[in-house]
Amino acid sequence: MKLYPILVRREFWEHRALWVAPLAMAALWIATSAFMKIHMGNELPLTVAQGRAILNVVGWGMSVATLLVVGVVVVFYLLDSLYAERRDRSILFWKSLPVSDAATVLAKLAVAMVIVPLLAFVVVAFTDLIARALIAARGGAGITVEQASIWDGRMWWQAQVLLFIGIVASVLWYAPIAAYLLVMSAWARRSVMLWAVLPPLVLMMVEGMVLRTTRVWEFISDRLSPAVPIMRGIEAQLASGTIKIDRNEVVLPGALLDHVDLGAIFLNAQLLLGLLAAAVLVFVAIRLRRYRDET
Amino acid sequence: MTSTSDTPVIEARKLAKSYGKLRALDGIDFKVGAGRIVGLIGPNGAGKTTALKAILGLTPFEGELRVLGRDPSAARDALMQDVCFIADVAVLPRWLRVRQALDYVAGVHPRFDRARAEAFLATTDIKMKSRVRELSKGMVTQLHLALVLAIDARLLVLDEPTLGLDLLYRRQFYDTLVNDYFDKDRTILMTTHQVEEIENLLTDVIFIQHGRVVLDAAVEDLGGTFRQLICAPDQMERARALTPFYSREIFGRTAFFYEGRDAAELAPLGELRTPSIADLFVAKMQGVAP
């Protein structure tokens, strides 16, 4: 296990976007907070509750945007992770050292699925605090110090906890896709992206022509849809009316926390089957790295 | 580590490997003893690199192969603690910084002596913060050598380590290898095209051609087995009668190569020499019908 810290550091040396992207988003966010003006037309001044609501929604929006950018970076990272060393022929250097193929592949998977998401979460939470403090300090931007108060602690924490659950759920939900990208990265001789997209595309076309159905597309789009993992926890209640959304009121993200059903998110067959598929695919990626011989 | 000399470092029996129809290794047998510097020499496509890859556990093979007592295909990860290799010059990743290379190897290799690598690098023009892409080809090899020299490994495998380097770097590479690295507990197995440059280093040679071993001998025994005769013009018929396996024109005179002929038998026919490994290589490769 003491091998892993250096294996992880190595990934951040090679793929700088992994840490540059969340920090760049954070910088953008902080800059926006420092100069942003909120125009509310005739409705000024806002009530305290409205001000807080706006800040919460803006904070949540920026958090999600940052995480999406990080998600895109992670996809490109996974596509490149086992391909780059073959492209630049450095694979024999890495293989000349006593690091097993399993450790190499698992370290890369851990970077994509644990380290970077955690890093992004911490960056997002801190940036949100800094951005609020900035807005509070500036006062006059249409929002008063009191409204911008970060000491609306409960709501902020709820939002962070919800975000964290969302990240963990997404990581687990997307694990088979990450593992699939690793396999393609270990397998393709060139244009990994194209090879990764091709098999599902061909399957869809064949299915469409032969069976005239769209099951593959439904399966894939369900797996790819970003809201799926978190929505699974609240959709049942939305349907049954436990949560009512008043269209005239801003629903604060944190407020949904009370309605999140962790069991429904984490203990559903689709997610667990996905994890099983991910484990198989990771095993395939390890074997490919071990025995792929093209030098 | 005194008992290393009785157990071979590498032992291959009926080692074979095919790529589709091509028989890259055709069931070869050989042994490499501890404390030897062995040159694995053959023309392009002879199977040298395939043999090295099998030894390093990088490719599946048929037959039996033990490296330091282990099966390289099953115990590759453990084996890499004791085996180092340099595949060829362009192999370090271009984005890697020199300091990162040291950090990484220090982090993953229990037998890496960082101070030793840094001491070697201090004798070169390589800077710690440079990236590999900023270094010349010769410097990349120096960096790779610095990493490898600082690992206390029992077997070092070099596959064309000086390919594309100028003479100064090549000479320095081999000098460093022999003077700073090699000792009786270490074994070096290397392939190269430039036989002339390493022939004074080698203790053993293995020639391979078309996936078969053509010659496997200690360098010190070559003189007793092989002789080169620069034939006197009037002795040509007699020289041919002694069945040389190869002949070559040198400055208008004919050199005949013999295997297993007595010096006393040949001496009257002209000028007798021990062939260089390079000459012997050419003689063996062209003398054997493909």
Side-chain angles (χ1 to χ4, degrees), chain A residues 166-185:
Chain A
I167 290 172
V168 175
S170 302
V171 163
L172 296 176
W173 179 253
Y174 294 133
I177 292 171
Y180 170 77
L181 296 179
L182 275 178
V183 168
M184 284 303 158
S185 179

Side-chain angles (χ1 to χ4, degrees), chain A residues 3 6-7 9-10 13-14 16 88-90 92-101 290-291 293 295, chain B residues 19 53 57-59 72-73 76-77 80 85 87-88 90-93 95 100 103-104 108-109 131 144:
Chain A
L3 207 59
I6 189 72
L7 296 186
R9 274 176 70 200
R10 173 227 175 283
W13 293 335
E14 182 177 7
R16 278 178 292 173
D88 68 13
R89 301 198 307 135
S90 63
L92 287 182
F93 168 67
W94 304 113
K95 284 200 169 200
S96 75
L97 295 162
V99 181
S100 68
D101 298 283
R290 173 74 177 83
Y291 291 110
D293 178 13
T295 42
Chain B
Y19 294 103
K53 275 164 130 186
L58 293 170
T59 190
S73 62
R76 204 190 109 71
D77 304 334
M80 286 301 119
F85 69 89
D88 71 46
V91 87
L92 291 178
W95 51 265
Q100 292 171 342
D103 286 347
Y104 185 82
V108 302
H109 211 302
R131 286 183 194 280
H144 208 160

Side-chain angles (χ1 to χ4, degrees), chain B residues 165-190:
Chain B
L165 295 189
D166 65 41
L167 178 61
L168 293 176
Y169 277 117
R170 294 203 299 265
R171 184 63 57 83
Q172 191 204 21
F173 181 90
Y174 290 117
D175 284 352
T176 310
L177 201 63
V178 172
N179 299 329
D180 297 354
Y181 182 77
F182 184 70
D183 63 40
K184 67 178 168 38
D185 292 325
R186 289 179 174 165
T187 306
I188 301 176
L189 176 64
M190 60 172 120

Side-chain angles (χ1 to χ4, degrees), chain A residues 44-60:
Chain A
L44 279 172
L46 301 171
T47 65
V48 170
Q50 281 171 326
R52 284 179 179 173
I54 286 169
L55 283 172
N56 272 304
V57 170
V58 169
W60 177 263

Side-chain angles (χ1 to χ4, degrees), chain B residues 98 116-128 130 135-136 138-146 149 169 172 176:
Chain B
V98 176
R116 198 172 169 189
E118 283 177 352
F120 179 79
L121 286 174
T123 67
T124 68
D125 294 333
I126 299 170
K127 294 189 178 59
M128 280 295 169
S130 298
L135 303 177
S136 72
M139 287 159 104
V140 175
T141 310
Q142 283 180 326
L143 170 59
H144 208 160
L145 189 62
L149 290 180
Y169 277 117
Q172 191 204 21
T176 310

